[in-house]
Each structure stands twice: as C-alpha cells, then as structure tokens.
Amino acid sequence: MVVSQTLYHLIRNLGDVVLLIMFMNRLLPVSCHSEKWSKAIACGLTCSMAGILSMLMPIHLPDGIILDMRIVPVALGSFYGGGLAAAICVTAVSAFRLCLSGTGVTPGVIVIVTAAAVGLLFRAIPFPHCRAGQLLFSSALGLILTAGHFGWSFLFQTPMTQLLLSKYVFMYLFLYPLAACTIVYIFQAERTRKTADLFDPSSGIPNKNWLLRRLRKLIEKQVPFHLIAFRIENLRAIHAVHGPEYRQLILQEMSARFSNEQLIHAGNQEFMLCCYDSERILGMDAFMDGIRQRLTKPFLINNKLVYLFSNTSFLPYQGEAAEHFIQKALSTLQETAGECLGESYSEEALLRRYQLQDALYQALSKEQLLLHYQPQFDLQNGRLRGFEALLRWNHPELGPVSPAEFIPIAEETGLIRQIGLWVLEQACLVHLQILPVIGDITMSVNISAVQLSDPFFPDEVNRVLERSGLPPSSIELEITETTLISSFARAERQLQRLESFGVMLALDDFGTGYSSLNYLKSLPLHTLKIDRSFTQGVLNNRESTIMQSIVQLAKQLEYIVIAEGVENEEQLSELKKLKCDVAQGYLLSQPLPSDCLAGFLARLQTNSGEKPQTRVS
C-alpha cells in the first residue's frame, strides 16, 4: 500500500511538471525555438514554474519525508536558457522555498543554486543529436544533481536528512535521472515538432529553409550581408566508401569547427555561412582565408585523418529576393566547381578516386609530385626554343599515376590551385638554374580552367615572377580550348590581365574545340599549339592541307606555331615544308627529369649548329 501510494505521488508529480512544460511551450514557444534573449526569459519562467509546481505537489514518503524534483527543472532551465534563465529559476524557486519555511531551508536554497550551476556547466558539453546520446546526457545530469543534493544534505545534517541518507538514496538515484530524461525528451520533441523543416534530422545542422528565414529578417531590417558558399567535393565519395554514419560524423565535426558562425546545409554537398558582421565584411578576404584554412585542416574521424576538398565563393547581397539570392550563390559556386562533378562512377572507380583524392592532398608535402621538361625546338635553325613543364606523380604504394587520372581530380577538388602554383614556382626555379647555361629560352606551364576562374590568379602569377626575377616574357602559360568554353568572357578578362604583366600566352590543343577562330580574334594570344592529332595525320593529304591552312592563318596573325607529338622523321620533314615554327615530341626528346637537364644541355652545346637530335635522353 505504501509503495503504491509513493508510486502514485511520483507519477503525479512528474506528470504535472511535464504537462506544465508542454503547456508553457505552447504559450511561450520561444522557450525551445528562439536563439535570442527571449528564449532565456521563456526558459526561466517555464522551468521555475515547473519547480514551484513540484514543490506544491510533492511526493509523500513514509516517516514524514516530503520529496520533490524542483532542482531538475532549475538545472535544465539553466542548460537551455543560459545565465539569464538560471537567474530567473534560482530567484523564483528559492523565494518560494523560503516562503514554505520549515526545516532544511538553507540547504534547500543551496541545492537550488548548485543545480543552476550544474546546468550552466553542462552547456559547455556538445549536446548529442541521437536519442541514445541524449538519454545518457540526461541521466548523467540527473546523477550529478543527486550527488549534489546528498552532498549538501550530508554537510547540513538534521534528524530528517540522516533518515533520508540512510533509507531513500535509491529513490533519489532513480527519481532525478528519470525526471531529467523525461523533461529533456519533451524539450527535444517540442523542438523537433516546430523545426523539422528547418534542420537536418540526423546532424542537427540548419538547412536552406532556416537560412531563408534568416535572410528575410536581415533584408527586412536592411542589414548588409554576404553569403559564403562552399561545396565539399568528396563528400559523396566518403558516403559511398564509408557509409552514412561516417558522413554524419564529418558533418557534426564541421558544425563544431564553425561554432562561431552558423553553418547551413544548403544541399547534398553544399554549405553556406551568412556574414553580416561589419568588421568581417570589410575584411572579407581575410575571413575567406580563415574559412578555407578550417576546411583544409584534416578531420580526425574514428582515429583516421580525413581531408575535405572544397570549392568556395562569396556573394554580397545586392537587393534581390532571398530565394533568388540563395540560388544565385549556389549557381556561382557551381560555375567554379569544375566539369566533372556530375559524373557517376562504379563503386570500384569511386574507391579509386577517393584514394587518389586522399593521397593527392599529401602529395605536395611528401614531395611525391615532380616535373619533367620536354624540349621544344625551332624548326628553322634547329636551336632549342624552350621547355614545357609536365607534371608527374609517383605514389609509393599506388605507383606512377597518370596525369589524365589525377589532374581531373585535382581540378574537381580545387587542389589544382595549390598544385598549379607549385608547378609555376618549380618551373621558374629550374628556368633560373639553366638560364646561365642556355641563355634566353621560354618555359611553358599548363594552367587549368579552375585556376583561370580564380580572380586572384593573375596576381599570384605576377608575385611568383617578381620573386624569381625572371622576365615575364620568358614564361608561357598554356590554356586549352575546353578551358575557355565554360566562361569565355571571364577567361578573356583574366588573360588580358596576364598579358598586361608581360606573360606569354599559348592556346594548347588548337583545333579540338568549337570556336577556335573566335578565340584567335578575341584573345591576347602569342602562340598556337596544334593538337597532336593533326601532327599524326600530317602525311595524309587532307590533314596536311588543314595543317597548312592553320599555319598560314597563324603567320598572318603573327603567332608562333608549335606542333605537338612529333614521332618520326617523315612528320618532322613535312612540318618543315609547311613552315611550322616549333616542334616537340618523342622524336626530338622525351620529357626529362630536372636532374637530367644539365647533361641534355651539355650535349646540345656539343652539337651546336647541327639539326635537332632525335630521341635525346
């Protein structure tokens, strides 16, 4: 009978508290869903009333002991609402306890203050998103509150507290964790009910709908802001290789890393940050650098370092509707994301790409990348015209990786920016080393569409040249026609800036694109490199006629003409007849490592005045 009565009072007390919290949340919905000071006040009012209600309808135990759970709502009010809510809870609940008077007033008030402090301390612990984690979190909070209660009861011993400590310890060990778990469940259920369409259900990260609400408020208040968008290029590969749990862990780590900003999950692999701080807007370049550093820093997931490869952009708000502005930011991001992003791969190919992505990030620091240099010869006098720097990757476990395989991955992940800059720096360094030996020659370096789309790329090239001391005209940057297709107007502006610095510009693989003549008319080019497919067929009458037309057109426009892929004497002889200016290919020399250049140049000097040597090695 006593047990059933105790259980009845326990269920009634807890039920009354839960019903009050649910009612107050309907009355003051900001108690769960606002992130402003109004949330703190609502939480403080809700939880202090729950604590007072618990004291009004206590649990009656044998021996005249009265038990309530007032400290649990106080602790959770402090946890959800912060310092302001804690002050409201402590003030209201302590005042009511003083009004009740009776024995144990002092330890009762101290226990209330301690509970508020425990709730504030628990705010420093990341709140788990899964149900099991929330259950453990709440139980731990309840057990710590129990320990605090008994600690103060032991210090302020009275006959009643001695009886409590000797007979009802297990009742408290059960009651406080149960109350904490129940109230936390109610709060989270209310939050989920109200915000299901605003947050990612598995990671808890705000989604595009949340961002839309935030932007509408900023626009309404006429607050200037920027939208920063970034795409995690290898997130799909991580999901396919490791599964959804691994992906969610990465998203949670990302959210923690951007805890000072509100990370928004805007799409499958797209994320956004809204910047409306005036100081950050003024220093947007530095702020973007900080974002890129946080994204490139590896994540430790299950004792394994995981590298994320991202593509970033930012867009200032210029008066459009919030929905259109978000879509515009995503479109801007897509323009610079490369052309390989929509491809689908088999599971085996996906694993291979993910391995290469992971390894490519470390290839530079581990000195696995190197350059080979293929000579180019003037066909009229046989002299060395220059070299083309060709990127190579020799992985210790995967072996030599073809540029045709890893260059697209580097472009897709954005690593091509860092790798391309390193290639330019190394090529300039080698150029400086051989300059005293060979004199004035040209060093050709390939650049990608991703590099050309970077508005800071021309300035980076200029800084490298200034540091090296080389004349800008000794460096030739090669672009392909496919590089120009995605955004011709932007590429034209970038090339004009590079040309203004004095850099030579070459159109590579000429004849394979769709608008070659338009490029010749509009772009500030100096050199045409005819695609190897024309060189291979130059002995065919039809191909020879096409090649002759290209050479004549280039001569009229005062371009230097380079034929790639020369592999036999017959091709070389025909190119001379067509008055092609320069040739390169395995007939003349294979690409050479940098440590072989000295010997190669020495042999050239020995054979000075003779025709280009075939297959110099």
Side-chain angles (χ1 to χ4, degrees):
M1 186 68 178
V2 173
V3 174
S4 62
Q5 286 182 350
T6 303
L7 186 61
Y8 165 75
H9 287 294
L10 171 63
I11 294 174
R12 191 193 67 176
N13 191 286
L14 184 57
D16 290 340
V17 168
V18 168
L19 287 174
L20 176 65
I21 290 175
M22 292 178 67
F23 172 76
M24 290 296 292
N25 187 65
R26 296 296 194 279
L27 190 64
L28 301 171
V30 290
S31 61
C32 280
H33 317 305
S34 174
E35 299 298 331
K36 301 179 181 179
W37 56 267
S38 55
K39 172 182 177 178
I41 295 177
C43 275
L45 291 174
T46 300
C47 292
S48 60
M49 291 180 66
I52 292 171
L53 180 63
S54 180
M55 288 188 286
L56 285 173
M57 298 181 177
I59 302 168
H60 295 276
L61 300 176
D63 305 314
I65 294 178
I66 297 176
L67 173 65
D68 62 66
M69 58 185 76
R70 62 183 180 272
I71 65 174
V72 177
V74 170
L76 290 174
S78 304
F79 171 73
Y80 280 107
L84 181 56
I88 294 173
C89 287
V90 169
T91 302
V93 178
S94 297
F96 191 79
R97 179 64 186 89
L98 290 171
C99 291
L100 292 177
S101 65
T103 60
V105 173
T106 301
V109 172
I110 294 176
V111 167
I112 293 170
V113 175
T114 303
V118 170
L120 292 175
L121 288 174
F122 265 66
R123 285 175 65 86
I125 303 173
F127 188 73
H129 297 288
C130 63
R131 290 292 187 191
Q134 293 171 7
L135 181 65
L136 291 174
F137 184 92
S138 308
S139 299
L141 176 64
L143 291 173
I144 291 175
L145 292 176
T146 304
H149 189 145
F150 282 117
W152 289 113
S153 297
F154 182 79
L155 290 176
F156 293 89
Q157 285 200 30
T158 64
M160 192 64 70
T161 57
Q162 290 176 359
L163 183 62
L164 187 68
L165 291 170
S166 62
K167 294 184 64 175
Y168 297 104
V169 172
F170 290 104
M171 177 67 77
Y172 277 88
L173 288 173
F174 169 73
L175 175 63
Y176 285 171
L178 175 63
C181 290
T182 304
I183 295 174
V184 166
Y185 176 82
I186 293 300
F187 267 105
Q188 293 307 121
E190 288 295 302
R191 183 187 294 268
T192 301
R193 183 183 66 84
K194 283 288 187 180
T195 62
D197 63 333
L198 301 179
F199 292 85
D200 183 271
S202 55
S203 65
I205 299 175
N207 60 21
K208 194 158 55 174
N209 294 327
W210 186 96
L211 176 63
L212 188 59
R213 286 191 179 186
R214 173 62 62 89
L215 295 190
R216 283 171 176 166
K217 290 181 180 178
L218 293 175
I219 293 171
E220 182 181 347
K221 295 179 180 179
Q222 297 184 342
V223 177
F225 63 90
H226 285 57
L227 206 56
I228 299 154
F230 54 92
R231 177 186 174 102
I232 306 301
E233 308 294 0
N234 59 334
L235 194 59
R236 184 167 64 94
I238 292 171
H239 182 278
V241 173
H242 297 291
E245 296 82 5
Y246 210 86
R247 177 178 178 273
Q248 291 307 323
L249 289 173
I250 290 176
L251 293 183
Q252 291 172 16
E253 289 294 323
M254 282 179 57
S255 180
R257 190 168 289 187
F258 287 95
S259 58
N260 291 332
E261 301 85 12
Q262 183 62 70
L263 182 68
I264 296 103
H265 196 171
N268 186 33
Q269 300 181 104
E270 292 80 26
F271 299 83
M272 290 186 176
L273 299 170
C274 182
C275 178
Y276 49 88
D277 182 271
S278 57
E279 292 184 3
R280 284 180 174 173
I281 290 176
L282 291 174
M284 184 54 66
D285 290 342
F287 184 56
M288 289 294 295
D289 287 341
I291 289 173
R292 293 189 185 102
Q293 288 173 8
R294 276 182 277 179
L295 288 172
T296 54
K297 183 180 178 182
F299 291 78
L300 184 62
I301 307 294
N302 294 340
N303 295 320
K304 175 179 171 56
L305 288 178
V306 178
Y307 294 90
L308 299 184
F309 309 119
S310 62
N311 179 45
T312 60
S313 68
F314 72 89
L315 202 64
Y317 177 69
Q318 295 178 331
E320 52 267 79
E323 298 91 334
H324 296 158
F325 185 57
I326 293 175
Q327 191 57 46
K328 182 179 178 181
L330 290 173
S331 300
T332 303
L333 187 64
Q334 189 68 25
E335 287 179 5
T336 59
E339 299 178 0
C340 312
L341 301 179
E343 296 181 7
S344 57
Y345 302 95
S346 66
E347 186 173 343
E348 182 180 353
L350 200 58
L351 178 60
R352 168 74 173 177
R353 288 176 63 82
Y354 180 61
Q355 289 175 332
L356 290 178
Q357 285 175 346
D358 200 23
L360 188 58
Y361 193 93
Q362 305 175 58
L364 266 181
S365 60
K366 293 186 176 181
E367 299 183 352
Q368 295 170 3
L369 298 180
L370 65 156
L371 294 181
H372 285 190
Y373 301 87
Q374 186 166 38
Q376 300 171 337
F377 290 95
D378 190 316
L379 292 183
Q380 306 309 313
N381 56 31
R383 295 182 181 277
L384 179 70
R385 186 251 183 184
F387 294 93
E388 180 183 1
L390 301 170
L391 185 60
R392 299 289 184 263
W393 182 18
N394 188 20
H395 192 273
E397 297 176 1
L398 301 175
V401 184
S402 167
E405 187 176 16
F406 75 81
I407 292 295
I409 294 176
E411 291 179 327
E412 177 181 334
T413 59
L415 277 174
I416 193 65
R417 294 185 177 94
Q418 182 181 356
I419 292 174
L421 191 60
W422 176 85
V423 169
L424 181 61
E425 291 171 343
Q426 291 299 307
C428 288
L429 181 62
V430 169
H431 195 344
L432 280 174
Q433 292 172 349
I434 64 177
L435 195 60
V437 179
I438 200 66
D440 185 21
I441 61 169
T442 300
M443 181 67 73
S444 298
V445 176
N446 293 278
I447 61 174
S448 77
V450 177
Q451 290 175 275
L452 200 60
S453 68
D454 185 348
F456 303 109
F457 177 67
D459 295 321
E460 289 177 344
V461 171
N462 192 40
R463 282 195 293 269
V464 170
L465 291 174
E466 287 178 347
R467 287 197 300 267
S468 69
L470 289 169
S473 59
S474 66
I475 296 296
E476 184 174 70
L477 300 181
E478 298 185 9
I479 58 171
T480 62
E481 292 188 64
T482 53
T483 299
L484 305 171
I485 292 174
S486 59
S487 179
F488 179 79
R490 178 171 55 193
E492 183 180 13
R493 290 193 300 270
Q494 294 284 78
L495 293 177
Q496 286 172 348
R497 288 189 63 200
L498 288 166
E499 198 264 346
S500 70
F501 295 142
V503 176
M504 302 287 286
L505 299 172
L507 185 60
D508 198 7
D509 299 336
F510 181 76
T512 60
Y514 303 98
S515 306
S516 298
L517 295 179
N518 184 44
Y519 297 151
L520 296 184
K521 179 185 71 174
S522 306
L523 298 177
L525 300 171
H526 306 90
T527 304
L528 291 185
K529 295 192 72 174
I530 301 175
D531 185 66
R532 64 180 60 249
S533 61
F534 290 99
T535 304
Q536 299 300 314
V538 73
L539 300 179
N540 178 283
N541 288 336
R542 182 180 178 85
E543 297 286 347
S544 179
T545 302
I546 295 174
M547 178 76 85
Q548 185 176 21
S549 299
I550 294 174
V551 172
Q552 289 176 351
L553 176 62
K555 294 286 187 182
Q556 291 176 357
L557 296 173
E558 298 182 344
Y559 291 155
I560 299 170
V561 181
I562 301 177
E564 296 182 288
V566 181
E567 295 182 355
N568 57 57
E569 292 284 359
E570 291 77 10
Q571 292 172 350
L572 184 65
S573 176
E574 186 65 25
L575 289 171
K576 288 182 177 180
K577 292 179 183 178
L578 295 174
K579 298 188 181 304
C580 185
D581 298 309
V582 180
Q584 72 180 85
Y586 271 71
L587 174 71
L588 306 174
S589 175
Q590 63 184 1
L592 304 168
S594 59
D595 55 4
C596 294
L597 290 180
F600 170 77
L601 295 175
R603 287 192 294 274
L604 277 187
Q605 287 180 324
T606 302
N607 298 317
S608 177
E610 299 180 8
K611 69 176 182 179
Q613 301 298 300
T614 60
R615 297 192 64 82
V616 178
S617 60

